[in-house]
Amino acid sequence: MKKILVALVAIAVLGACSSEKKDFAYRGLSMSLPFQTFIDSLQQRGFFIDSAKTDSDFQMVVMGSDAVRYRLVIAQKTGQVAALQENWELHSNDSTRNLWQQMRDDFEKDLGAWPNMPKHGDDHKIAKFEAEGGFITLTLENTYKPTLSVRYDKK
């Protein structure tokens, strides 16, 4: 009888753990952290706040790093991270196309899902992925100046 009770408790614990919602994360950093903690964690990773592009009440913070080729724009809502966007700084249309394809393939592999592709041309592509806890949108625009952005939105 004791073994049956222990087995039932183990099954209940396993069921509770498996139904637990996964945390939406940006490069391994949980987006459910308080906004200031999230910013501090990015600063520990080598990012700095671009005060010229950040608004005065810190509703939207722009961050950069010498180690990466993108800038981060992070928006908050009631003290929590609401959205984050990487804006890549690249110099040629070919480099943005190649990076877009590589990132699309990586998200597809990591999330185990095909993206919704509302735009799929040579110079303008959008791939939207649904992840547990949020959405990831990968956008390529190569019209006049090569631009590539990755946006993370919490549900």
Side-chain angles (χ1 to χ4, degrees):
M1 186 66 157
K2 200 176 206 182
K3 289 182 182 180
I4 293 173
L5 183 61
V6 170
L8 289 174
V9 169
I11 290 171
V13 169
L14 183 61
C17 290
S18 65
S19 66
E20 196 172 298
K21 195 174 185 179
K22 270 187 149 181
D23 211 13
F24 191 51
Y26 167 72
R27 297 186 184 258
L29 186 59
S30 172
M31 289 182 68
S32 63
L33 291 171
F35 183 74
Q36 190 57 52
T37 304
F38 191 83
I39 296 295
D40 293 343
S41 297
L42 285 170
Q43 287 179 319
Q44 289 175 351
R45 292 181 177 193
F47 284 87
F48 57 88
I49 295 174
D50 185 346
S51 57
K53 295 183 179 174
T54 298
D55 61 11
S56 60
D57 59 354
F58 257 51
Q59 293 302 307
M60 186 168 31
V61 175
V62 177
M63 300 184 84
S65 171
D66 296 331
V68 296
R69 297 185 320 189
Y70 57 85
R71 311 281 280 168
L72 292 175
V73 180
I74 308 155
Q76 73 163 317
K77 185 174 183 180
T78 63
Q80 296 292 316
V81 177
L84 179 144
Q85 182 169 315
E86 295 176 346
N87 294 316
W88 287 79
E89 298 172 6
L90 301 166
H91 302 291
S92 75
N93 288 346
D94 287 339
S95 61
T96 55
R97 283 186 193 107
N98 292 337
L99 185 57
W100 185 91
Q101 188 62 50
Q102 176 189 351
M103 292 175 87
R104 179 191 179 276
D105 293 344
D106 290 345
F107 282 130
E108 196 175 291
K109 180 180 167 189
D110 292 344
L111 299 173
W114 287 81
N116 177 14
M117 298 282 296
K119 290 256 185 201
H120 191 51
D122 287 338
D123 288 328
H124 190 187
K125 301 178 184 184
I126 299 174
K128 294 184 176 190
F129 294 90
E130 184 172 359
E132 287 192 40
F135 300 95
I136 301 170
T137 305
L138 183 60
T139 305
L140 169 73
E141 293 177 344
N142 279 339
T143 309
Y144 299 107
K145 180 181 175 190
T147 59
L148 177 67
S149 65
V150 183
R151 184 176 170 100
Y152 297 77
D153 289 292
K154 285 175 51 177
K155 285 184 181 175

